[in-house]
Amino acid sequence: SMRYTLDNEGRKITTLGDELRAMEIYTRIQKMRFGERVNLETVIQPDIDVDHLPVLPLLIQPLIENAISHGLEKLTRPGLITLTVTQAKGILKIQVQDNGVGLTTDDLERLRKRVEDKNLEDSRSIGLRNVNNRIKMYYGQNYGLKITSQLNVGTTVTLFLQAPTS
């Protein structure tokens, strides 16, 4: 996990397959720490060749980390993170959904504003903000992340990326 992070720091592109393998390792480590509160299910659209699909590195890890630390860590029941990858109409959609504690409507709105904020001195939500900014800088302003949440149900963070053309 650490090797993947260090190898990809500063790299412009990796493959979705490498990202997914790194997330499986990261999640296994967290499962050792949190037990049944951390489980990962990965669902990939069958026609997506993850080993040949280029993506920016280190986009998914902050989402998984947030799902664990903010969504699942305080659970007393088994937690589940579902990572779903689909592609349609030129959009690659990577979705991280947890069945954790969720957010109130007000907290969700504050989080959304912090993610869009360009204030570099605000260290809250920096992982999500960095992911969102990197996506927008690389793919364009029409891409980025979307956050939805419901208190006591869970949170979903969806990345919208430009799908590569053949």
Side-chain angles (χ1 to χ4, degrees):
S1 181
M2 183 179 279
R3 182 183 323 263
Y4 178 79
T5 301
L6 293 173
D7 286 350
N8 281 286
E9 196 167 10
R11 272 183 69 190
K12 194 169 184 175
I13 293 294
T14 189
T15 67
L16 181 58
D18 285 344
E19 279 281 284
L20 295 174
R21 284 184 284 279
M23 287 313 89
E24 289 173 15
I25 292 167
Y26 177 81
T27 306
R28 279 197 308 250
I29 292 168
Q30 294 302 323
K31 186 169 180 62
M32 285 189 272
R33 181 176 174 206
F34 294 111
E36 283 305 306
R37 287 181 288 168
V38 174
N39 296 284
L40 176 67
E41 178 181 297
T42 303
V43 180
I44 301 169
Q45 184 177 310
D47 63 338
I48 294 177
D49 181 359
V50 297
D51 289 320
H52 294 96
L53 184 65
V55 295
L56 290 171
L58 306 171
L59 289 181
I60 302 173
Q61 188 271 341
L63 308 184
I64 300 288
E65 185 177 334
N66 275 0
I68 293 170
S69 62
H70 298 294
L72 304 182
E73 189 172 312
K74 294 178 180 137
L75 290 182
T76 56
R77 59 180 160 76
L80 176 64
I81 299 169
T82 305
L83 174 62
T84 307
V85 180
T86 58
Q87 184 175 327
K89 298 181 182 176
I91 304 287
L92 177 66
K93 189 165 84 170
I94 301 171
Q95 186 173 72
V96 175
Q97 181 176 22
D98 69 62
N99 68 341
V101 297
L103 296 167
T104 65
T105 304
D106 290 342
D107 287 340
L108 176 60
E109 193 53 39
R110 279 192 287 277
L111 175 60
R112 287 174 175 160
K113 285 180 181 173
R114 282 195 308 267
V115 167
E116 292 295 331
D117 190 6
K118 304 294 187 227
N119 179 4
L120 299 177
E121 293 181 16
D122 184 357
S123 62
R124 296 170 301 166
S125 309
I126 196 162
L128 293 177
R129 185 179 321 124
N130 284 344
V131 167
N132 192 49
N133 287 339
R134 288 175 57 223
I135 291 170
K136 288 183 178 303
M137 286 182 355
Y138 188 81
Y139 296 101
Q141 292 300 309
N142 293 332
Y143 303 94
L145 64 83
K146 176 183 174 189
I147 307 166
T148 59
S149 188
Q150 189 175 347
L151 190 62
N152 299 318
V153 175
T155 300
T156 301
V157 179
T158 307
L159 302 180
F160 294 93
L161 312 177
Q162 183 178 22
T165 55
S166 311

